Amino acid sequence: MSPLPEAELVRSAVQLYRYLLRCCRRLPRGPVQQHYRHAIRQSFKVHADEDDPERIQQIIKRAIEDADWVMNK
């Protein structure tokens, strides 16, 4: 599976969250999809207090790379 085409448009945490949940919809239904949805929510809760713009961009970049890896797996 290839990543969704809007990956290059992700600039904010909310956009990233929506992008990752859309990626989850393309995964097989059931435990796999539930696992990744839960992991996405947990990651956003962990990083909710991040306020450094440079660090936020690093997190966004890494999350998109990880999503691409999962989608190709």
Side-chain angles (χ1 to χ4, degrees), residues 32-64:
V32 172
Q33 197 177 70
Q34 290 172 352
H35 168 77
Y36 284 107
R37 287 175 57 104
H38 178 75
I40 291 166
R41 287 188 181 111
Q42 289 303 106
S43 292
F44 273 84
K45 287 178 185 178
V46 168
H47 296 292
D49 61 345
E50 188 66 56
D51 58 354
D52 179 18
E54 186 175 318
R55 176 72 178 130
I56 292 170
Q57 289 306 313
Q58 290 174 346
I59 293 169
I60 289 171
K61 182 176 183 255
R62 178 64 190 261
I64 291 172

Side-chain angles (χ1 to χ4, degrees), residues 1 27 41 45 52 68 72:
M1 289 183 184
L27 295 172
R41 287 188 181 111
K45 287 178 185 178
D52 179 18
D68 291 347
N72 289 324

